[in-house]
């Protein structure tokens, strides 16, 4: 299982005022708040940690099929600039981040050895429906390229818990992937080893 | 405050954060903040803080965990108002 999350930094600046009273408290642990307030780029760190929590949460929902909103239960530990761990109770999620001037992006996986491949892309029209269709199209394109399935035969449906599943006609293609979009950016993350095995019929 | 009045107040609170106009116009108790109204999950924190300010209540972590839909929000607000 994998999870991912992207934050468009300039859109986040417009959408959220993290300096608002109570905001940091609802999302971050005290240790995380200290990290943020002592960092020389607090805006970037707020959203880096947020994307770490969200990407881990996306795995949690796949594990348990249950949605909830408790960002401060997911505790972030940074190993270096781009690697970290998110802990929820006894579960640990391994996080890999990518930080650019325009966005911060995180992928979460359950094991260190998962080979998560990500593809980040720009979305010009930021309406909610276009963000979704663009992100879906990118996933279909990637699966089409690697597995040689016509794009028109690929469909994405969401479960009640909001987890996207990929179908070839009526048949589900089972491989780990995660989708995210925010503002002008979107990303897909796939478990590369698994997709190749799926497409060659070894699963 | 009646349930209808509460719903109107809540609707005004979520309005700045919604990204799906149609779902907002058709808002019912069963409307989901994220799946239907497409509220960005970081803005869900703002909804929680705005609810706290508007109703002068405290939404603790346990209550916040459940605040994903209009129905859940109404239940939480009603409970907290009754505790006052």
């Amino acid at each position: 299982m994998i999870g991912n999350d992207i934050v468009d930094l300039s859109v986040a600046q417009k959408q959220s005022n993290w300096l608002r009273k109570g905001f940091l408290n609802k999302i971050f642990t005290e240790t995380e708040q200290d990290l943020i307030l002592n960092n020389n780029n607090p805006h970037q760190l707020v959203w880096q940690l947020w994307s770490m929590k969200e990407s881990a949460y996306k795995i949690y929902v796949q594990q348990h099929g249950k949605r909830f909103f408790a960002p401060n239960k997911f505790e972030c530990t940074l190993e270096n600039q781009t690697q970290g761990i998110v802990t929820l109770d006894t579960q640990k999620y391994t996080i890999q981040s990518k930080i650019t001037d325009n966005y911060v992006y995180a992928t979460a996986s359950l094991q260190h050895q998962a080979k998560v491949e990500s593809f980040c892309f720009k979305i010009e029209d930021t309406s909610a429906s276009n963000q979704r269709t663009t992100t879906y199209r990118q996933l279909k394109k990637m699966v089409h390229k690697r597995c040689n399935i016509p794009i028109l035969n690929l469909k994405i449906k969401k479960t009640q818990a909001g987890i996207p599943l990929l179908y070839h006609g009526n048949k589900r293609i089972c491989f780990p992937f995660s989708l995210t979009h925010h503002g002008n950016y979107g990303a897909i993350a796939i478990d590369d080893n698994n997709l190749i095995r799926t497409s060659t019929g070894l699963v | 405050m009646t349930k209808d009045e509460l719903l109107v107040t809540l609707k005004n609170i979520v309005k700045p954060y919604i990204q799906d106009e149609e779902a907002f116009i058709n808002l019912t108790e069963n409307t989901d903040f994220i799946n239907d109204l497409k509220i960005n999950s970081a803005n869900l924190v703002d909804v929680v803080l705005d609810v706290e300010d508007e109703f002068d209540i405290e939404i603790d972590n346990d209550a916040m965990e459940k605040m994903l839909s209009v129905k859940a929000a109404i239940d939480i607000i009603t409970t907290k108002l009754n505790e006052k």
Side-chain angles (χ1 to χ4, degrees):
Chain A
M1 283 179 206
I2 51 180
N4 71 348
D5 192 64
I6 200 162
V7 176
D8 180 327
L9 289 171
S10 61
V11 170
Q13 183 123 42
K14 284 178 220 134
Q15 283 180 338
S16 302
N17 171 19
W18 57 265
L19 284 165
R20 173 178 189 186
K21 189 172 171 281
F23 190 92
L24 291 180
N25 246 328
K26 295 262 187 241
I27 298 180
F28 299 105
T29 64
E30 274 178 35
T31 316
E32 291 164 352
Q33 291 180 49
D34 280 346
L35 272 180
I36 290 165
L37 297 171
N38 291 309
N39 192 276
N40 55 18
N41 193 345
H43 177 67
Q44 184 183 293
L45 189 57
V46 161
W47 298 113
Q48 182 184 349
L49 297 178
W50 169 264
S51 63
M52 289 170 70
K53 288 166 187 262
E54 278 279 304
S55 62
Y57 168 74
K58 285 188 185 172
I59 296 188
Y60 180 93
V61 177
Q62 295 174 60
Q63 287 173 308
H64 304 275
K66 193 183 94 191
R67 298 166 62 218
F68 66 107
F69 188 61
N72 57 12
K73 275 196 179 169
F74 291 79
E75 287 180 52
C76 299
T77 323
L78 288 173
E79 286 169 354
N80 57 45
Q81 282 272 314
T82 56
Q83 279 171 312
I85 302 280
V86 170
T87 311
L88 175 77
D89 305 325
T90 56
Q91 179 75 63
K92 286 193 189 312
Y93 303 93
T94 304
I95 311 289
Q96 182 74 49
S97 293
K98 182 181 173 191
I99 298 163
T100 75
D101 290 342
N102 300 318
Y103 61 82
V104 289
Y105 172 67
T107 57
S109 59
L110 286 171
Q111 305 101 3
H112 273 287
Q113 58 267 38
K115 191 171 169 238
V116 181
E117 289 258 332
S118 288
F119 174 53
C120 300
F121 46 87
K122 187 125 204 241
I123 301 171
E124 297 299 340
D125 167 6
T126 60
S127 68
S129 63
N130 183 63
Q131 285 186 3
R132 191 185 57 240
T133 39
T134 305
T135 309
Y136 282 9
R137 198 182 321 123
Q138 293 289 354
L139 177 74
K140 290 177 187 174
K141 259 164 82 176
M142 181 178 277
V143 175
H144 162 69
K145 254 193 238 159
R146 295 184 190 219
C147 308
N148 210 15
I149 298 169
I151 289 185
L152 281 174
N153 294 351
L154 291 168
K155 281 201 174 54
I156 294 158
K157 286 183 212 156
K158 274 193 178 179
T159 67
Q160 264 203 322
I163 303 159
L165 302 176
L166 182 68
Y167 290 87
H168 177 196
N170 292 324
K171 198 169 159 261
R172 190 172 150 210
I173 307 178
C174 296
F175 79 99
F177 69 91
S178 184
L179 309 174
T180 177
H181 54 74
H182 180 236
N184 281 106
Y185 296 93
I188 54 182
I190 62 166
D191 183 332
D192 217 22
N193 293 327
N194 265 296
L195 178 56
I196 291 159
R197 280 198 293 139
T198 307
S199 63
T200 50
L202 291 172
V203 176
Chain B
M1 188 181 279
T2 68
K3 203 171 182 179
D4 285 345
E5 286 168 341
L6 211 154
L7 191 66
V8 172
T9 314
L10 185 63
K11 215 174 158 178
N12 282 328
I13 287 175
V14 299
K15 195 174 181 198
Y17 310 113
I18 59 121
Q19 295 190 71
D20 191 316
E21 281 294 337
E22 209 184 309
F24 180 70
I25 292 164
N26 300 317
L27 183 139
T28 69
E29 269 204 18
N30 296 320
T31 302
D32 188 280
F33 290 141
I34 293 174
N35 292 346
D36 299 323
L37 299 178
K38 306 282 186 288
I39 293 177
N40 168 328
S41 44
N43 281 141
L44 207 49
V45 175
D46 291 296
V47 172
V48 171
L49 293 171
D50 290 348
V51 164
E52 288 188 333
D53 291 347
E54 179 67 35
F55 296 97
D56 192 26
I57 53 175
E58 198 205 326
I59 312 269
D60 52 42
N61 288 339
D62 288 345
M64 186 169 85
E65 262 192 62
K66 302 182 193 103
M67 233 173 98
L68 295 169
S69 67
V70 171
K71 185 175 184 319
I74 289 179
D75 288 349
I76 290 161
I77 296 165
T78 313
T79 310
K80 299 283 171 189
L81 285 176
N82 287 339
E83 280 170 11
K84 280 219 284 190

